[in-house]
Amino acid sequence: MERYLMYLRKSRMDTDFEEVSIAETLSRHRTTLEKFCKSKRLNVVEVLEEVVSGESLAARPQMMRLLELVSTGSYAGVVCMDIERLSRGSSMESGYIMQILQVNGCKIVTPGKTYDLQNESDEQFTDMKFMFSRYELKTITKRLVRGRNQSASEGKFMGSMAPYGYRAYKLPGEKGNSLMIVPEEAKVVQMIFDMYGKQGIGYNTIAYKLNQMHIPSRVGEWGQTSIANIINNEVYLGKIRWRKEPVKRVVKDGMLAKKRVQNDDYELYDGRHEAIITEEQWACAKAAQAKRNHPPTHKERHLQNPFASILYCEKCGAIMKRKVPKKSRTCIPWYQCPTRGCDCKMIKCETVEKAIRDAMEEWLNNYIIQINSDQQPAEDPIAAALTAVRGQLAGLQLQQENICEYLEKGIYTVEMFSKRNASLAKEIKQLQTSEADLLRQQSEGDEKKRTSSQLIPTAQHILEHYSLLSVEEKNRLWKLVLKKATVYRTQDDELMIHIYPNLPQ
Ligand SMILES: [Zn+2]
């Protein structure tokens, strides 16, 4: 018959309950574990109770004894309340304990789970948990949790660059940034809204006028894109825009499922910054926009431009327009920057197409080499953390069941019970939050992997079959592969092309 050892030790988890002495804690654990062993028919031949609560191995005589016994190789496993009871102390000591258990084929049996150290995935788990017990689990998971969404809902500014009219500043006495009005720029913003809304002037002409007046923009000259960005940005109303996650997670039949939501979907929060324009000015601009029938996104009915909506002028940032000169007999299409005053020369569409294909091919070759050279590490820290969190959760839930029993049996008074129960419930809730956050991160990670694994075949497909593709198909595929491309032809006919592959961030 297989022989087991039982190891009892008070852990940090029990310390919030001071009325119960170490001896009492241990006897409670002993009762729980004995019952557990009986139900599992585990033959416990010796019980080791650590009465001192030392950190180092030397200060834990029973652990030393345990290791001695395990080293004889005659035990199938060690039974304990929680895996954490075995470790604590330096990671070297944890590693040493682990190694002895592993070499002697000794399992760790807890009411929540049995860990077989011969099994590789379990070993990883144990490693992780030993490590976790050294730190406060809470601080680790807290670091993993990104509070961006919350900051936006608190009206803080989340971007990296303040919009024109504002400058970012660190909020005093709290985390995060907000925006401060830059008076000269704010006047220009109001002027732009008035020109567009009240006077009915278009983006392009507004840009031209501002350049004529020598009003500096943040990047070079004004263009229709920078004007459109201002007219369409709710930040000037004192709001903060928060783009919703592109993928929504829903729990379906107990499984995590992903649901795609529209990318241009965003939420508005009341900002911590002052507005530059009034609701009236905003409404007026929106009315002008509707009147002009400016579609918010660029869509072409008969698509002839393979780079529709992704090709920009490198100089001024405007979307490049595809033009076929009416007078020309050759009917050769050209790309032209629509910004009045921008010195980007016209470029033959054919030339741009060829240059982007070449750039893509070069990028792809480098990317494939890079991916092959940095092989993904085998361990997944998020998965390990998730297992750790779930393990602790199971342990806590078991403790919660136990205290109910103590109450029934009269071991606990009602007061003791409610105190302990409240602290357990709090810990459980924190762990559940951590679990949810980790799940979200894991799902984000999968999404990233999926995107980059799709990018290569899509790019290869487009390059290999280019001549066979329709314009619509080319455009659809380019949009999958590229975030955008920029082009600029200097006065000296030097052609500059940059591509921005659609890599996950
Ligand atoms: Zn331009």
Side-chain angles (χ1 to χ4, degrees):
M1 198 175 180
E2 286 186 326
R3 291 144 59 91
Y4 286 84
L5 295 166
M6 185 185 289
Y7 181 71
L8 295 167
R9 182 173 157 245
K10 194 175 184 294
S11 110
R12 218 176 345 163
M13 271 187 190
D14 316 302
T15 54
D16 53 343
F17 202 56
E18 282 136 26
E19 285 98 321
V20 183
S21 70
I22 290 178
E24 269 182 77
T25 311
L26 292 188
S27 91
R28 270 196 293 117
H29 289 167
R30 188 175 180 150
T31 317
T32 311
L33 287 181
E34 269 168 1
K35 233 170 89 186
F36 168 73
C37 290
K38 207 173 155 193
S39 72
K40 297 279 175 189
R41 289 168 196 276
L42 297 177
N43 173 32
V44 176
V45 293
E46 191 168 344
V47 179
L48 300 138
E49 291 192 22
E50 200 85 80
V51 183
V52 291
S53 191
E55 285 284 346
S56 75
L57 201 50
R60 285 193 278 154
Q62 294 303 308
M63 175 52 82
M64 300 285 271
R65 164 122 181 95
L66 180 112
L67 294 177
E68 247 177 65
L69 289 171
V70 167
S71 301
T72 62
S74 43
Y75 297 91
V78 177
V79 184
C80 57
M81 275 305 280
D82 184 295
I83 203 161
E84 191 182 307
R85 317 272 157 171
L86 292 181
S87 72
R88 196 137 172 220
S90 75
S91 61
M92 225 175 79
E93 284 180 348
S94 300
Y96 174 70
I97 295 170
M98 272 269 305
Q99 207 181 358
I100 289 180
L101 293 173
Q102 190 185 17
V103 169
N104 293 288
C106 197
K107 290 177 188 139
I108 302 170
V109 184
T110 74
K113 199 191 163 188
T114 297
Y115 307 100
D116 183 359
L117 305 175
Q118 312 291 323
N119 179 327
E120 216 178 278
S121 59
D122 262 358
E123 193 188 328
Q124 261 177 25
F125 171 88
T126 314
D127 261 332
M128 194 68 195
K129 260 210 122 174
F130 274 129
M131 221 172 70
F132 263 58
S133 65
R134 287 181 55 237
Y135 304 98
E136 279 299 313
L137 178 74
K138 284 168 214 155
T139 50
I140 295 173
T141 38
K142 210 180 246 171
R143 229 188 304 141
L144 294 169
V145 176
R146 275 169 280 167
R148 280 178 68 85
N149 206 348
Q150 202 201 333
S151 297
S153 66
E154 286 168 358
K156 293 171 184 172
F157 174 65
M158 306 304 304
S160 51
M161 223 170 64
Y164 182 87
Y166 290 104
R167 70 177 177 79
Y169 72 100
K170 161 99 186 57
L171 281 164
E174 60 179 309
K175 271 191 167 177
N177 297 326
S178 186
L179 298 169
M180 203 177 263
I181 290 180
V182 179
E184 321 78 84
E185 291 186 352
K187 272 182 209 149
V188 180
V189 171
Q190 288 185 330
M191 192 163 82
I192 291 171
F193 270 92
D194 281 344
M195 282 180 172
Y196 189 83
K198 276 190 196 153
Q199 301 167 41
I201 306 171
Y203 296 154
N204 221 345
T205 315
I206 295 175
Y208 178 75
K209 286 190 176 209
L210 294 179
N211 289 332
Q212 289 295 92
M213 289 149 90
H214 300 289
I215 291 170
S217 92
R218 292 249 177 106
V219 276
E221 301 218 298
W222 290 96
Q224 62 172 355
T225 317
S226 40
I227 303 295
N229 285 342
I230 288 176
I231 296 288
N232 291 301
N233 197 346
E234 292 93 342
V235 77
Y236 299 113
L237 272 174
K239 308 270 186 194
I240 286 291
R241 218 191 244 190
W242 178 251
R243 231 167 247 296
K244 280 186 189 165
E245 286 177 79
V247 177
K248 230 183 195 169
R249 275 142 209 107
V250 284
V251 177
K252 203 178 146 193
D253 307 327
M255 296 286 289
L256 200 67
K258 287 174 203 165
K259 199 175 147 195
R260 286 209 157 270
V261 293
Q262 273 219 313
N263 226 1
D264 50 1
D265 208 7
Y266 57 83
E267 278 169 8
L268 286 178
Y269 297 101
D270 285 331
R272 298 274 290 263
H273 61 280
E274 263 182 80
I276 289 180
I277 57 152
T278 62
E279 291 277 355
E280 207 182 337
Q281 279 172 301
W282 176 265
C284 187
K286 287 289 129 186
Q289 208 164 40
K291 214 164 146 191
R292 286 179 159 269
N293 203 13
H294 258 306
T297 51
H298 296 263
K299 263 185 196 149
E300 294 182 29
R301 253 171 242 146
H302 313 285
L303 198 67
Q304 291 187 302
N305 178 2
F307 299 109
S309 82
I310 53 167
L311 186 66
Y312 295 84
C313 170
E314 202 164 304
K315 185 77 180 287
C316 73
I319 284 252
M320 294 295 278
K321 291 260 149 60
R322 184 182 176 278
K323 294 247 157 101
V324 184
K326 281 184 187 118
K327 285 170 194 162
S328 151
R329 264 187 294 160
T330 52
C331 286
I332 294 175
W334 295 74
Y335 279 116
Q336 188 184 28
C337 172
T339 305
R340 225 188 283 189
C342 177
D343 69 352
C344 178
K345 284 175 79 178
M346 282 172 70
I347 318 160
K348 266 187 202 161
C349 289
E350 210 187 309
T351 312
V352 172
E353 222 169 335
K354 174 83 172 67
I356 290 181
R357 278 166 63 191
D358 289 347
M360 191 68 216
E361 197 163 358
E362 196 191 328
W363 178 86
L364 186 65
N365 289 336
N366 287 331
Y367 185 61
I368 290 171
I369 292 167
Q370 186 199 323
I371 278 195
N372 290 340
S373 67
D374 53 54
Q375 282 293 339
Q376 296 274 333
E379 327 167 18
D380 180 350
I382 293 179
L386 198 55
T387 324
V389 168
R390 282 173 175 165
Q392 296 230 346
L393 209 47
L396 288 177
Q397 276 155 351
L398 187 89
Q399 285 187 45
Q400 209 169 31
E401 280 166 34
N402 287 340
I403 60 166
C404 293
E405 214 181 294
Y406 299 150
L407 182 68
E408 279 164 23
K409 286 187 180 166
I411 302 172
Y412 270 19
T413 62
V414 175
E415 198 193 3
M416 282 158 83
F417 171 82
S418 15
K419 194 175 171 191
R420 183 77 185 121
N421 189 45
S423 89
L424 277 174
K426 200 176 142 199
E427 279 187 80
I428 288 173
K429 208 177 163 200
Q430 278 170 341
L431 283 169
Q432 281 168 339
T433 314
S434 307
E435 188 189 18
D437 282 322
L438 287 165
L439 276 174
R440 185 174 53 75
Q441 287 179 44
Q442 193 173 51
S443 160
E444 263 167 23
D446 290 348
E447 184 71 11
K448 263 186 193 175
K449 267 182 227 153
R450 211 178 50 74
T451 324
S452 67
S453 67
Q454 265 182 4
L455 182 61
I456 298 174
T458 314
Q460 280 169 337
H461 175 80
I462 192 170
L463 292 171
E464 279 164 29
H465 304 97
Y466 205 76
S467 55
L468 302 171
L469 302 172
S470 70
V471 176
E472 279 86 1
E473 191 66 358
K474 282 177 186 171
N475 187 239
R476 192 181 69 81
L477 293 171
W478 279 127
K479 282 200 270 197
L480 285 176
V481 168
L482 295 177
K483 277 193 198 95
K484 65 169 185 176
T486 58
V487 49
Y488 177 58
R489 184 180 167 200
T490 65
Q491 294 302 308
D492 305 326
D493 292 327
E494 197 187 330
L495 186 65
M496 283 183 244
I497 294 247
H498 285 103
I499 59 167
Y500 298 82
N502 206 356
L503 283 172
Q505 269 150 13

